[in-house]
Amino acid sequence: MSFVNGKGLHLVITGAPGTGKGTQAGVLKRKYGICHLSTGEMLREEVKKATKIGEQLKDHLAAGGFAPDELMIQMVSSRIDEPDCQNGFILDGFPRTIKQAEELSKMLAQKGISLNAVIEIIVPDQVIVDRILGRYTCMTCGESYSDKYHKPKVQGVCDICGGIKFSKRLDDTKETIERRLKKYRDFTYPTIAYYEKIGLLKAINGNGSVNEVAERINNALNMK
Ligand SMILES: [Zn+2]
């Protein structure tokens, strides 16, 4: 692995819901000892812990809107200063707009960091729908599994933590999944084009087993 700036590995991972990007982010986190920053989870944490950022966020999220850019940047900025991110990070769920992508680059530049790559995981819609409908999550550590594509090695036991309780999202129906896919396209596609233009994009075929996709990502990251 050749690190561009010698300061660690700094990645963005993107892909529609159900492409397995969270799973792949977890693989990269363990492989390189970097932190996995899922901004969706970070936002929920801030609200739950009622931090200053959380209080400001609550109204926006309750109205079904997105968190304001400055708050997102502020939240990501302070998070990547923490010790577990010293080898780098993988950002998941952010940036979602070109404006956010530009703000992110500026904030990172102030820390002397530049992104190494933006990984886009691509999976056909029909596969995504099948995957999400069969998806369930470990209630102990949050690892996600799928009936068809990513079963635990031992039936009913989490590979990561050994947990035996799993949950399914109630809002996973064909209609809501199609709505989420459309929303993803409308909002996120421009950022993918943006990263392609500046030469950071690595488009990865996400159709296959977790190991197969991890291998493709690994190959793409090693091709400098
Ligand atoms: Zn688990």
Side-chain angles (χ1 to χ4, degrees):
M1 181 78 219
S2 54
F3 296 158
V4 170
N5 48 28
K7 285 187 175 173
L9 184 60
H10 304 99
L11 303 171
V12 168
I13 194 162
T14 182
T19 49
K21 71 183 162 83
T23 304
Q24 293 300 330
V27 171
L28 289 161
K29 171 187 166 168
R30 289 188 288 274
K31 179 163 184 188
Y32 293 108
I34 57 181
C35 60
H36 173 200
L37 306 182
S38 162
T39 47
E41 264 168 44
M42 287 163 68
L43 289 171
R44 286 190 288 275
E45 273 298 294
E46 298 276 356
V47 173
K48 209 169 85 188
K49 288 186 187 155
T51 62
K52 223 161 92 188
I53 291 177
E55 289 299 313
Q56 288 171 267
L57 277 171
K58 226 155 77 184
D59 299 337
H60 290 278
L61 298 182
F66 290 112
D69 291 353
E70 317 88 77
L71 276 184
M72 294 294 289
I73 290 285
Q74 204 186 316
M75 187 178 76
V76 171
S77 173
S78 59
R79 184 64 187 81
I80 63 183
D81 289 339
E82 286 176 32
D84 64 323
C85 294
Q86 64 178 359
N87 295 330
F89 56 77
I90 182 158
L91 262 175
D92 172 2
F94 185 85
R96 285 189 197 275
T97 63
I98 293 177
K99 173 102 192 315
Q100 289 180 350
E102 289 169 347
E103 292 297 321
L104 173 67
S105 296
K106 267 189 237 165
M107 180 269 281
L108 293 176
Q110 282 168 3
K111 299 180 195 286
I113 294 171
S114 53
L115 289 175
N116 298 92
V118 173
I119 299 164
E120 181 199 10
I121 306 204
I122 302 166
V123 174
D125 279 8
Q126 188 47 53
V127 176
I128 289 179
V129 172
D130 282 356
R131 274 189 188 184
I132 296 181
L133 290 177
R135 186 165 76 172
Y136 51 99
T137 306
C138 171
M139 287 172 76
T140 311
C141 74
E143 179 73 1
S144 46
Y145 294 97
S146 156
D147 292 335
K148 239 186 189 171
Y149 299 97
H150 177 37
K151 287 184 194 164
K153 290 188 187 83
V154 178
Q155 176 75 31
V157 182
C158 175
D159 292 345
I160 306 296
C161 75
I164 51 165
K165 283 186 179 165
F166 298 88
S167 69
K168 235 176 151 72
R169 275 175 63 162
L170 292 171
D171 58 345
D172 285 344
T173 65
K174 197 161 185 286
E175 291 69 35
T176 56
I177 295 162
E178 275 161 3
R179 209 160 52 228
R180 294 210 296 268
L181 289 175
K182 183 175 184 305
K183 196 169 154 194
Y184 170 77
R185 284 205 185 90
D186 292 349
F187 282 95
T188 312
Y189 268 22
T191 61
I192 290 170
Y194 167 85
Y195 281 126
E196 182 158 39
K197 211 170 122 195
I198 60 174
L200 283 178
L201 191 73
K202 308 280 184 197
I204 304 293
N205 171 7
N207 206 0
S209 71
V210 172
N211 286 340
E212 281 164 354
V213 178
E215 187 61 33
R216 287 176 202 143
I217 293 174
N218 198 34
N219 291 339
L221 288 179
N222 282 308
M223 274 190 306
K224 282 283 173 201

